[in-house]
């Protein structure tokens, strides 16, 4: 028999104990601009792919969409930030598989990013073989540290490098840069999340005649770029106006 205590009192509502203790969950974030995003199927599929990897029981697409639509009903303004989190439930012993899941939906008014942003470089690195980099896990402490580091230095976010000094992404977005008719972006193998917006940008760039190069690049490769930008499903394309010159030395 196991008992859990919170601030000296027995805590009986333990259905979310595994996510609290281990960060066992997966999430998707997107903008709800008057309606579900057109790539909602891709968000659901990526959520379920991550859940399957972690052994979290899936929910149906119909339930997923229903819970989102129910959550946004309480807002009159329908330009919203929406975060869906599939959380596990199960025995608190860490190696056991969860036996149930719950979908949490976080909704708030959408706030756009005002103007181009500035980036620095994170002191915290990733390893390209880390399997958690391939899913949107609620185990998000590294990303939090990266974002805090950037903001404390006066930057919007920070570029994360891997064990080979290769560029991966920022704490919450994929990164791209353009030189002439070439569009460059780190390959999935470098240790990045394969973003939904990333895939669409690559497809559109090819349609517009760009040569798309996915590969392993270091910070020097960003120099002399005509344009550097970030992308994610919440804000779309985010222009980068500057990168910390000290970090590029």
């Amino acid at each position: 028999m196991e008992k859990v205590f919170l601030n000296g009192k027995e805590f009986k509502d333990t259905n979310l104990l595994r996510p609290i203790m281990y960060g066992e969950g997966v999430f998707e974030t997107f903008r709800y601009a008057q309606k579900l995003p057109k790539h909602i199927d891709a968000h659901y599929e990526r959520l379920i792919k991550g859940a399957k990897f972690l052994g979290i029981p899936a929910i149906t697409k119909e339930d997923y969409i229903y819970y989102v639509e129910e959550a946004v009903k309480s807002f009159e303004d329908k330009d919203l930030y929406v975060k869906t989190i599939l959380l596990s439930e199960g025995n608190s012993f860490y190696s056991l598989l969860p036996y149930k899941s719950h979908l949490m939906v976080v909704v708030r008014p959408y706030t756009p990013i005002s103007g181009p942003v500035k980036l620095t470089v994170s002191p915290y690195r990733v390893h390209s073989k880390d399997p958690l980099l391939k899913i949107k896990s609620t185990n998000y402490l590294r990303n939090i540290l990266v974002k805090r580091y950037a903001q404390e230095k006066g930057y919007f976010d920070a570029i994360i490098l891997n064990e080979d000094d290769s560029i991966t992404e920022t704490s919450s977005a994929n990164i791209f840069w353009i030189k002439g008719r070439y569009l460059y972006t780190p390959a999935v193998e470098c240790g990045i999340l394969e973003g939904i917006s990333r895939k669409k940008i690559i497809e559109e760039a090819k349609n517009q005649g760009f040569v798309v190069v996915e590969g392993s690049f270091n910070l020097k490769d960003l120099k002399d770029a005509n344009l550097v930008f970030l992308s994610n499903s919440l804000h779309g394309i985010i222009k980068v106006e500057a990168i910390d010159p000290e970090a590029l030395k």
Side-chain angles (χ1 to χ4, degrees), residues 42-59:
H43 285 288
Y44 169 76
E45 289 165 6
R46 187 170 64 178
L47 185 87
I48 297 308
K49 182 179 178 180
K52 183 178 180 180
F53 179 77
L54 296 178
I56 301 172
I59 62 171

Side-chain angles (χ1 to χ4, degrees), residues 30-67:
F30 51 82
R31 183 179 180 182
Y32 187 103
Q34 314 307 322
K35 60 182 179 180
L36 290 168
K38 62 180 179 179
H39 303 307
I40 190 66
D41 286 357
H43 285 288
Y44 169 76
E45 289 165 6
R46 187 170 64 178
L47 185 87
I48 297 308
K49 182 179 178 180
K52 183 178 180 180
F53 179 77
L54 296 178
I56 301 172
I59 62 171
T60 66
K61 185 174 72 173
E62 291 73 21
D63 281 345
Y64 179 72
I65 291 174
Y66 172 77
Y67 292 141

Side-chain angles (χ1 to χ4, degrees), residues 110-117 147 156 230 232 234-235 237-239:
Y110 171 74
T111 303
I113 293 173
S114 57
V117 302
K147 187 73 169 181
F156 173 75
L230 309 176
N232 62 30
L234 182 62
H235 298 296
I237 291 176
I238 308 163
K239 183 179 178 181

